[in-house]
mmCIF file of all heavy atoms in Angstrom:
data_model
loop_
_atom_site.group_PDB
_atom_site.id
_atom_site.type_symbol
_atom_site.label_atom_id
_atom_site.label_comp_id
_atom_site.label_asym_id
_atom_site.label_seq_id
_atom_site.Cartn_x
_atom_site.Cartn_y
_atom_site.Cartn_z
ATOM 1 N N LEU A 102 108.281 77.289 89.576
ATOM 2 C CA LEU A 102 107.553 76.409 88.786
ATOM 3 C C LEU A 102 106.423 75.689 89.514
ATOM 4 O O LEU A 102 105.470 75.353 88.977
ATOM 5 C CB LEU A 102 108.545 75.402 88.264
ATOM 6 C CG LEU A 102 109.536 75.873 87.214
ATOM 7 C CD1 LEU A 102 110.536 74.758 86.783
ATOM 8 C CD2 LEU A 102 108.781 76.347 85.930
ATOM 9 N N LEU A 109 104.032 83.400 85.236
ATOM 10 C CA LEU A 109 104.586 82.985 83.947
ATOM 11 C C LEU A 109 103.692 83.185 82.807
ATOM 12 O O LEU A 109 104.017 83.847 81.806
ATOM 13 C CB LEU A 109 105.149 81.541 83.859
ATOM 14 C CG LEU A 109 106.328 81.251 84.672
ATOM 15 C CD1 LEU A 109 106.592 79.765 84.716
ATOM 16 C CD2 LEU A 109 107.523 82.016 84.010
ATOM 17 N N TYR A 113 104.202 85.885 79.743
ATOM 18 C CA TYR A 113 103.968 85.550 78.299
ATOM 19 C C TYR A 113 103.100 86.464 77.650
ATOM 20 O O TYR A 113 103.257 86.883 76.400
ATOM 21 C CB TYR A 113 103.565 84.109 78.105
ATOM 22 C CG TYR A 113 104.727 83.225 78.723
ATOM 23 C CD1 TYR A 113 104.256 81.888 79.331
ATOM 24 C CD2 TYR A 113 106.055 83.431 78.776
ATOM 25 C CE1 TYR A 113 105.248 81.087 79.871
ATOM 26 C CE2 TYR A 113 106.974 82.613 79.314
ATOM 27 C CZ TYR A 113 106.532 81.446 79.857
ATOM 28 O OH TYR A 113 107.545 80.667 80.390
ATOM 29 N N CYS A 163 116.761 78.938 81.483
ATOM 30 C CA CYS A 163 115.695 79.052 82.500
ATOM 31 C C CYS A 163 114.344 79.413 81.852
ATOM 32 O O CYS A 163 113.340 78.742 82.148
ATOM 33 C CB CYS A 163 115.983 80.190 83.517
ATOM 34 S SG CYS A 163 117.428 79.802 84.569
ATOM 35 N N GLU A 164 114.343 80.265 80.946
ATOM 36 C CA GLU A 164 113.170 80.633 80.235
ATOM 37 C C GLU A 164 112.543 79.498 79.408
ATOM 38 O O GLU A 164 111.335 79.296 79.473
ATOM 39 C CB GLU A 164 113.486 81.794 79.168
ATOM 40 C CG GLU A 164 113.692 83.172 79.821
ATOM 41 C CD GLU A 164 112.581 83.876 80.385
ATOM 42 O OE1 GLU A 164 111.337 83.349 80.405
ATOM 43 O OE2 GLU A 164 112.618 85.083 80.735
ATOM 44 N N GLY A 165 113.381 78.643 78.797
ATOM 45 C CA GLY A 165 112.991 77.582 78.041
ATOM 46 C C GLY A 165 112.444 76.491 78.907
ATOM 47 O O GLY A 165 111.209 75.936 78.624
ATOM 48 N N LEU A 166 112.972 76.326 80.007
ATOM 49 C CA LEU A 166 112.378 75.384 81.025
ATOM 50 C C LEU A 166 111.144 75.789 81.568
ATOM 51 O O LEU A 166 110.267 75.038 81.794
ATOM 52 C CB LEU A 166 113.538 75.125 82.131
ATOM 53 C CG LEU A 166 113.242 74.024 83.121
ATOM 54 C CD1 LEU A 166 113.384 72.641 82.343
ATOM 55 C CD2 LEU A 166 114.236 73.994 84.216
ATOM 56 N N MET A 167 111.077 77.053 81.960
ATOM 57 C CA MET A 167 109.776 77.611 82.517
ATOM 58 C C MET A 167 108.594 77.498 81.548
ATOM 59 O O MET A 167 107.586 77.164 81.860
ATOM 60 C CB MET A 167 110.072 79.025 82.921
ATOM 61 C CG MET A 167 110.870 79.153 84.224
ATOM 62 S SD MET A 167 110.992 80.853 84.885
ATOM 63 C CE MET A 167 111.903 81.744 83.755
ATOM 64 N N PHE A 168 108.977 77.815 80.234
ATOM 65 C CA PHE A 168 107.854 77.735 79.270
ATOM 66 C C PHE A 168 107.328 76.248 79.107
ATOM 67 O O PHE A 168 106.194 75.978 79.109
ATOM 68 C CB PHE A 168 108.345 78.255 77.845
ATOM 69 C CG PHE A 168 107.361 78.273 76.857
ATOM 70 C CD1 PHE A 168 106.481 79.433 76.700
ATOM 71 C CD2 PHE A 168 107.091 77.252 76.059
ATOM 72 C CE1 PHE A 168 105.503 79.405 75.647
ATOM 73 C CE2 PHE A 168 106.116 77.215 75.195
ATOM 74 C CZ PHE A 168 105.349 78.382 74.805
ATOM 75 N N SER A 169 108.344 75.362 79.007
ATOM 76 C CA SER A 169 107.943 74.049 78.888
ATOM 77 C C SER A 169 107.065 73.345 79.986
ATOM 78 O O SER A 169 106.153 72.703 79.880
ATOM 79 C CB SER A 169 109.255 73.113 78.672
ATOM 80 O OG SER A 169 109.858 73.474 77.558
ATOM 81 N N CYS A 170 107.513 73.914 81.274
ATOM 82 C CA CYS A 170 106.834 73.371 82.518
ATOM 83 C C CYS A 170 105.552 74.180 82.767
ATOM 84 O O CYS A 170 104.692 73.626 83.516
ATOM 85 C CB CYS A 170 107.694 73.428 83.681
ATOM 86 S SG CYS A 170 109.200 72.239 83.483
ATOM 87 N N ALA A 171 105.396 75.430 82.273
ATOM 88 C CA ALA A 171 104.202 76.162 82.470
ATOM 89 C C ALA A 171 103.229 75.920 81.545
ATOM 90 O O ALA A 171 101.929 75.736 81.857
ATOM 91 C CB ALA A 171 104.484 77.690 82.691
ATOM 92 N N VAL A 172 103.509 76.016 80.321
ATOM 93 C CA VAL A 172 102.429 75.894 79.219
ATOM 94 C C VAL A 172 102.816 74.875 78.144
ATOM 95 O O VAL A 172 102.092 74.697 77.223
ATOM 96 C CB VAL A 172 102.229 77.255 78.589
ATOM 97 C CG1 VAL A 172 101.668 78.305 79.588
ATOM 98 C CG2 VAL A 172 103.427 77.904 77.880
ATOM 99 N N GLY A 173 103.960 74.372 78.191
ATOM 100 C CA GLY A 173 104.460 73.351 77.099
ATOM 101 C C GLY A 173 104.286 71.927 77.540
ATOM 102 O O GLY A 173 103.320 71.576 78.400
ATOM 103 N N SER A 174 104.837 71.071 76.771
ATOM 104 C CA SER A 174 104.516 69.565 76.969
ATOM 105 C C SER A 174 105.083 68.987 78.156
ATOM 106 O O SER A 174 104.685 67.895 78.513
ATOM 107 C CB SER A 174 105.225 68.826 75.809
ATOM 108 O OG SER A 174 106.675 69.083 75.687
ATOM 109 N N PHE A 175 105.878 69.710 79.121
ATOM 110 C CA PHE A 175 106.350 69.231 80.296
ATOM 111 C C PHE A 175 105.416 69.757 81.568
ATOM 112 O O PHE A 175 105.956 69.786 82.637
ATOM 113 C CB PHE A 175 107.748 69.530 80.574
ATOM 114 C CG PHE A 175 108.649 68.628 79.721
ATOM 115 C CD1 PHE A 175 109.049 68.973 78.407
ATOM 116 C CD2 PHE A 175 109.017 67.295 80.212
ATOM 117 C CE1 PHE A 175 109.784 68.135 77.666
ATOM 118 C CE2 PHE A 175 109.829 66.551 79.375
ATOM 119 C CZ PHE A 175 110.143 66.841 78.081
ATOM 120 N N HIS A 176 104.350 70.357 81.227
ATOM 121 C CA HIS A 176 103.455 70.993 82.197
ATOM 122 C C HIS A 176 103.095 70.129 83.426
ATOM 123 O O HIS A 176 102.891 70.627 84.575
ATOM 124 C CB HIS A 176 102.257 71.704 81.712
ATOM 125 C CG HIS A 176 101.246 70.666 81.097
ATOM 126 N ND1 HIS A 176 100.318 70.227 81.904
ATOM 127 C CD2 HIS A 176 101.144 70.123 79.976
ATOM 128 C CE1 HIS A 176 99.642 69.323 81.292
ATOM 129 N NE2 HIS A 176 99.959 69.274 80.068
#
Side-chain angles (χ1 to χ4, degrees):
L102 291 174
L109 285 172
Y113 297 145
C163 291
E164 292 279 9
L166 191 63
M167 288 190 291
F168 184 89
S169 294
C170 292
V172 298
S174 57
F175 286 87
H176 66 91

